[in-house]
Amino acid sequence: MKKIITFGEILLRLSTRIGVRAVQASELTMHYGGAEANVAVSLANFGHTVRFVSKVPNNPLGHAAERHLRLYGVDTSHVLRGGERLGTYYLESGVGERSAQVVYDRKYSSISELTEEEIDFDEIFQGVNLFHVSGITPALSPTLQKLTLQALQRAKAHGVMTSFDFNYRSKLWNQKEAADAIKPLLPYVDICSCGELDAIHLLGIAEAPVSLSKEMKLQYYYEQIQEMYPNITYMSSTFRQVISASANTLQGNLYTDAILYHSKEHHIEPIVDRVGGGDAFAAGILHGILNGQSPEQTVSFATAASALKHTVHGDCNVFSVDEINGFIENGSGRIIR
């Protein structure tokens, strides 16, 4: 199995019970998560050697976040301790036609105050096969914008394959801020998770003709992105139809060698917890690429991993390769005896 580095913030998540709004809540459920941390957990569950690079406060919450990662086999030897607080977010769980709502409380978190002097990417990338980061990390502070770029540059200098997930969050920055920060990163990216809205609003690509099918539109956007950044060899995304907060359909897409591959469509109902579904998909794509699987196998595995994530509480995916492959083979809903 491969050696992987992910770089980002691990957060404390406090969630309401389904059917309870935040203004009504008298109790909240604790989980730990965050985009790059979730990808790290998935890839560790798949058998890879994964290290998470971050910074958490030297207090019980920071220690618990590290413990969460170690519980799933993620190496925390590059998690620094310092700063005053662990980033937090509150999730008002959605149900039926009522959407879930997120409130962030992550200003001045430990990782947002990370300095360039505290981190040595040349040491971190020794013997590493893959580096993964998302657009959430550079959104957290100007220093993290610089560090994300440095990380990608140093990874490429060490011959490390790189992965970037746009993961645009409108509550962290606006589209212009995101575009200005993300565009300089893309020349150093091999694997990119991005969709139609990223192409239009962050990369400035003209909208595809409305007469095209959704598959043809996505192919058009990926062709345009690859023309701008020929170094990107894989692009991935999902088609999600939101029927309600409790029922979605999900289909995965993977573009490589000028061909767009699709998974079958999964109907997910009821959704237990949607948060982290995209991270589970991203990890599945990375696993397939690292293992030399065909594009068809890779996108099928990644979408199945994401579909399963929707069935468990918490941010991270807790399914193994065998369990995901068994789900692909046996289908949904059957009792496994």
Side-chain angles (χ1 to χ4, degrees):
M1 289 295 170
K2 306 299 183 180
K3 294 182 178 179
I4 299 162
I5 296 289
T6 72
F7 173 43
E9 180 169 37
I10 185 165
L11 296 151
L12 169 63
R13 166 181 149 187
L14 299 169
S15 308
T16 65
R17 290 183 290 108
I18 291 177
V20 177
R21 298 208 65 196
V23 295
Q24 300 175 286
S26 59
E27 59 182 11
L28 296 167
T29 301
M30 293 176 61
H31 295 285
Y32 292 91
E36 293 86 355
N38 297 337
V39 170
V41 167
S42 280
L43 290 169
N45 281 335
F46 299 160
H48 299 282
T49 300
V50 188
R51 285 183 177 176
F52 184 58
V53 177
S54 192
K55 186 175 182 179
V56 299
N58 189 16
N59 64 28
L61 291 178
H63 303 165
E66 287 188 67
R67 181 177 178 274
H68 163 83
L69 293 166
R70 290 195 298 269
L71 178 67
Y72 294 105
V74 177
D75 185 333
T76 61
S77 58
H78 286 304
V79 176
L80 302 173
R81 289 185 176 182
E84 297 299 322
R85 65 189 304 263
L86 189 72
T88 302
Y89 78 98
Y90 297 83
L91 177 70
E92 180 181 285
S93 301
V95 64
E97 294 186 274
R98 179 169 59 81
S99 300
Q101 299 285 338
V102 169
V103 177
Y104 287 121
D105 180 18
R106 62 201 298 181
K107 274 191 175 182
Y108 313 112
S109 63
S110 292
I111 193 173
S112 72
E113 298 181 346
L114 186 69
T115 65
E116 296 179 52
E117 293 73 27
E118 290 181 283
I119 196 160
D120 182 355
F121 286 116
D122 287 316
E123 189 272 329
I124 287 169
F125 288 130
Q126 294 294 326
V128 169
N129 300 106
L130 175 77
F131 171 60
H132 175 75
V133 68
S134 87
I136 293 174
T137 299
L140 299 178
S141 75
T143 299
L144 282 170
Q145 289 183 30
K146 294 178 184 177
L147 283 171
T148 302
L149 178 57
Q150 289 176 15
L152 287 164
Q153 290 172 331
R154 297 318 301 160
K156 295 310 300 175
H158 285 271
V160 176
M161 184 180 291
T162 57
S163 166
F164 179 76
D165 186 340
F166 271 58
N167 250 345
Y168 174 70
R169 297 289 184 267
S170 62
K171 290 188 176 183
L172 295 180
W173 54 2
N174 62 41
Q175 290 175 358
K176 184 181 185 306
E177 291 170 331
D180 289 345
I182 287 172
K183 287 178 182 178
L185 307 178
L186 296 180
Y188 304 97
V189 171
D190 299 309
I191 305 166
C192 187
S193 178
C194 57
E196 178 178 338
L197 296 180
D198 299 315
I200 296 169
H201 298 297
L202 302 185
L203 299 183
I205 294 172
E207 291 192 45
V210 294
S211 59
L212 296 180
S213 67
K214 64 181 181 180
E215 293 84 3
M216 292 177 68
K217 286 180 181 179
L218 187 61
Q219 174 101 15
Y220 159 80
Y221 291 118
Y222 282 167
E223 288 172 352
Q224 296 298 308
I225 294 171
Q226 195 155 63
E227 188 172 318
M228 297 165 66
Y229 303 101
N231 51 286
I232 299 176
T233 54
Y234 297 93
M235 283 177 271
S236 63
S237 64
T238 57
F239 292 141
R240 181 187 291 274
Q241 180 187 5
V242 179
I243 302 164
S244 72
S246 309
N248 290 184
T249 65
L250 190 72
Q251 183 179 33
N253 309 292
L254 177 61
Y255 178 84
T256 186
D257 292 329
I259 300 172
L260 184 62
Y261 299 88
H262 310 285
S263 75
K264 78 169 192 178
E265 185 176 85
H266 292 258
H267 183 87
I268 311 167
E269 184 180 14
I271 293 173
V272 172
D273 194 338
R274 175 176 160 174
V275 177
D279 303 324
F281 177 77
I285 292 290
L286 296 177
H287 173 74
I289 292 170
L290 287 170
N291 279 11
Q293 294 176 338
S294 71
E296 296 94 340
Q297 290 172 316
T298 297
V299 73
S300 175
F301 179 87
T303 313
S306 181
L308 285 172
K309 164 60 201 72
H310 288 67
T311 69
V312 293
H313 289 290
D315 283 37
C316 62
N317 209 9
V318 293
F319 295 93
S320 68
V321 170
D322 288 343
E323 288 172 324
I324 295 168
N325 285 334
F327 171 61
I328 294 170
E329 181 179 346
N330 297 318
S332 61
R334 293 175 58 183
I335 296 176
I336 301 172
R337 301 180 186 273

